[in-house]
Amino acid sequence: MNKEYHLTESKTFCMLPWVHLYTTPIGVAAPCCISASISTEKGMGDSTKQPLMELVNSEKMKELRMDMLAGVKNPECNSCHVGELHGGNSFRQSANKDYGKFFDEAINNTLPDGSITKFEMRYFDIRFNNICNFKCRTCVSEFSSQWEQENLKNKVTYAKIHPKNDSPKFLQEVIDQIQFMQTAYFAGGEPLITEEHYVLLEEMIKQGRTDIKLRYNTNLSNLKFKNKDLLGLWKHFDKNIELSASIDHYGSRAEYIRNGTVWPTIEENFLNIKKLPYVNMQINTVLSIFNLLTFDKFYEYLINNKMYSPIDPTYGLYRMTGPIYLSCHILPEEYKIQGKESIEKSISLLKQHNFTKHQIASLEQVLPWLFSENIWEQNKNEFKNEVQRLDKIRGEDFSKTFPELAGLL
């Protein structure tokens, strides 16, 4: 088995199916959080009904491992394949870099049918429920309890309370994996108001595993949960915490995109956390139809208000593809041209303030991606209907908040 080839040259191999298992808040199992299975009802198994090892060695997981080793592009990994095709650095490539040191043991534990005899969870990303105090436009009810309640109240045809991934037995199986973890990623829902997040932190401290790297994706709206001392717990993980604040814009635009946002509170929490010596703070932005045309204004605000500087970690930029009717790809040509100009102004702004090449690269990768699909005609009706439906329910006004996009309606 050519280790160097698989980790650096292969277009299909990824360490994650050997060292990781992802589950959605309703228990849909998948090889990672951006795989095709997350958009299905069955995925690669159901963590509310099946034990951990049964999910790890499901038929689909075994097939995926064999395809990866054989150089076959499995549809499960289409998100990474497309991203790499457009020159981006994919989750697959990052995983191989981060967990490649476990390659030998992973392969040695792999049987001819793709099953593995021993599973050691090096990367944790289990979503236990969808508890969230926001209703983000670029999200869905499966990941937000507030969305669920809103849908039920307004008698949406598909409205329901989703089952929660909160089996005590499954939680214990995850706790048993703490001894192997290198990285624990907490997202949601909203992880900072999720019970299981605090259970795991306390278990890590109890087991002396404060060397685990903690990563978060949080809306940063609430730093208190019941009687838990979040900042006190974090202190045990000295300088080993990476926190990504989900922020897509500022002011009224931020409050529209992520309903529930009180912008002054978010900004205050962000700046206070950024001062802590044991937390590495950054922003994770979803690039969508809402912020593309004013991205330069967004970055200008971040820089002027000391939320982003050349010495900060590179801020994440997720080029959203779903829900498709809010993707930048649906924009008509004339709007895409305006979006291109906004991204180019953002790049110039970062260069002017001496940001690093790595910080600028994520913006440069947007330009070829932006024009790779043209799907306005197929999606315009859903876009208009959904925007207007939610505006009416929430008392919001798309055209007033985003006047540069008002013509789309």
Side-chain angles (χ1 to χ4, degrees):
M1 187 70 66
N2 190 325
K3 177 179 177 179
E4 185 67 21
Y5 169 78
H6 279 90
L7 291 176
T8 60
E9 297 181 41
S10 170
K11 302 299 182 183
T12 61
F13 182 80
C14 177
M15 281 297 303
L16 289 181
W18 280 266
V19 300
H20 170 61
L21 181 79
Y22 171 80
T23 69
T24 70
I26 64 173
V28 175
C32 77
C33 65
I34 60 171
S35 59
S37 280
I38 67 169
S39 301
T40 67
E41 293 185 0
K42 294 184 178 180
M44 295 193 166
D46 184 349
S47 64
T48 67
K49 300 175 182 177
Q50 297 172 268
L52 182 63
M53 278 306 295
E54 191 173 310
L55 298 174
V56 167
N57 282 326
S58 68
E59 290 302 316
K60 289 184 178 180
M61 284 290 283
K62 291 191 291 185
E63 180 183 358
L64 178 62
R65 292 190 192 100
M66 296 309 294
D67 281 347
M68 286 181 168
L69 290 171
V72 176
K73 287 189 175 182
N74 191 299
E76 194 69 38
C77 305
N78 189 55
S79 181
C80 280
H81 296 155
V82 171
E84 291 170 17
L85 187 64
H86 294 294
N89 184 51
S90 70
F91 193 18
R92 181 188 75 84
Q93 292 167 325
S94 297
N96 287 345
K97 181 179 179 181
D98 291 341
Y99 306 105
K101 58 187 172 184
F102 303 112
F103 179 88
D104 291 334
E105 70 177 45
I107 298 303
N108 290 337
N109 289 327
T110 305
L111 299 180
D113 68 346
S115 60
I116 52 179
T117 57
K118 184 180 180 183
F119 177 63
E120 295 182 351
M121 186 182 288
R122 305 298 181 177
Y123 174 48
F124 161 88
D125 183 6
I126 302 290
R127 316 291 173 94
F128 290 102
N129 58 59
N130 67 345
I131 300 300
C132 188
N133 54 342
F134 278 18
K135 295 175 289 188
C136 303
R137 293 266 180 160
T138 54
C139 192
V140 291
S141 60
E142 182 182 320
F143 291 89
S144 169
S145 53
Q146 289 292 313
W147 263 97
E148 286 181 336
Q149 296 299 326
E150 181 179 81
N151 286 345
L152 286 172
K153 181 180 178 181
N154 290 279
K155 297 181 172 57
V156 176
T157 54
Y158 53 82
K160 65 177 180 178
I161 298 296
H162 294 87
K164 305 299 183 261
N165 185 25
D166 58 1
S167 162
K169 185 176 180 180
F170 187 71
L171 174 59
Q172 185 58 52
E173 289 183 305
V174 174
I175 289 173
D176 292 341
Q177 290 287 328
I178 286 176
Q179 60 183 308
F180 305 117
M181 291 179 190
Q182 175 176 302
T183 303
Y185 176 55
F186 295 101
E190 170 48 40
L192 301 188
I193 57 173
T194 301
E195 188 83 43
E196 289 84 356
H197 160 246
Y198 294 91
V199 170
L200 287 169
L201 282 192
E202 290 170 346
E203 281 290 337
M204 289 173 184
I205 295 169
K206 181 180 177 181
Q207 294 184 28
R209 286 305 320 279
T210 55
D211 59 323
I212 296 173
K213 179 177 289 186
L214 304 183
R215 288 179 177 165
Y216 288 87
N217 200 314
T218 168
N219 61 38
L220 213 61
S221 63
N222 198 327
L223 302 180
K224 295 181 180 180
F225 178 75
K226 297 183 177 179
N227 63 340
K228 304 298 182 182
D229 179 11
L230 176 61
L231 301 187
L233 291 170
W234 277 352
K235 284 182 180 179
H236 290 273
F237 299 83
D238 185 35
K239 297 183 180 179
N240 215 21
I241 301 172
E242 296 178 359
L243 195 151
S244 292
S246 298
I247 300 175
D248 303 326
H249 226 302
Y250 67 93
S252 61
R253 294 171 186 265
E255 293 172 347
Y256 182 101
I257 298 170
R258 296 184 180 271
N259 181 280
T261 296
V262 178
W263 177 250
T265 299
I266 302 300
E267 184 171 6
E268 180 182 5
N269 286 346
F270 182 92
L271 292 173
N272 286 338
I273 293 290
K274 199 169 186 286
K275 295 174 185 176
L276 298 178
Y278 48 89
V279 177
N280 291 316
M281 170 72 85
Q282 67 175 59
I283 286 176
N284 187 51
T285 295
V286 174
L287 182 65
S288 71
I289 198 169
F290 295 117
N291 54 12
L292 175 66
L293 270 64
T294 54
F295 215 76
D296 55 317
K297 302 298 182 186
F298 174 45
Y299 263 38
E300 184 176 35
Y301 183 94
L302 296 179
I303 294 170
N304 290 343
N305 289 274
K306 304 186 186 306
M307 297 177 73
Y308 197 20
S309 74
I311 63 171
D312 289 326
T314 301
Y315 285 3
L317 185 58
Y318 171 59
R319 292 167 281 176
M320 189 201 76
T321 56
I324 189 65
Y325 65 87
L326 295 179
S327 166
C328 297
H329 283 151
I330 78 157
L331 286 168
E333 185 76 9
E334 62 268 27
Y335 287 88
K336 285 184 179 178
I337 291 171
Q338 294 177 54
K340 175 178 178 288
E341 292 171 352
S342 176
I343 295 297
E344 289 173 339
K345 287 179 182 177
S346 302
I347 292 170
S348 296
L349 183 67
L350 293 187
K351 289 181 178 178
Q352 178 185 335
H353 285 85
N354 298 315
F355 280 77
T356 66
K357 290 183 179 179
H358 193 59
Q359 289 170 315
I360 296 169
S362 60
L363 284 169
E364 291 175 330
Q365 291 165 5
V366 168
L367 298 176
W369 171 84
L370 178 60
F371 292 91
S372 63
E373 291 189 55
N374 296 293
I375 49 177
W376 170 248
E377 289 301 322
Q378 302 97 302
N379 295 278
K380 63 181 181 182
N381 289 334
E382 187 176 15
F383 164 74
K384 294 175 184 179
N385 291 340
E386 279 299 292
V387 165
Q388 292 171 335
R389 181 182 73 83
L390 289 178
D391 275 3
K392 183 177 180 180
I393 290 172
R394 299 177 181 179
E396 297 174 337
D397 190 331
F398 173 83
S399 296
K400 182 178 179 181
T401 309
F402 306 97
E404 70 281 359
L405 294 169
L408 293 175
L409 295 182

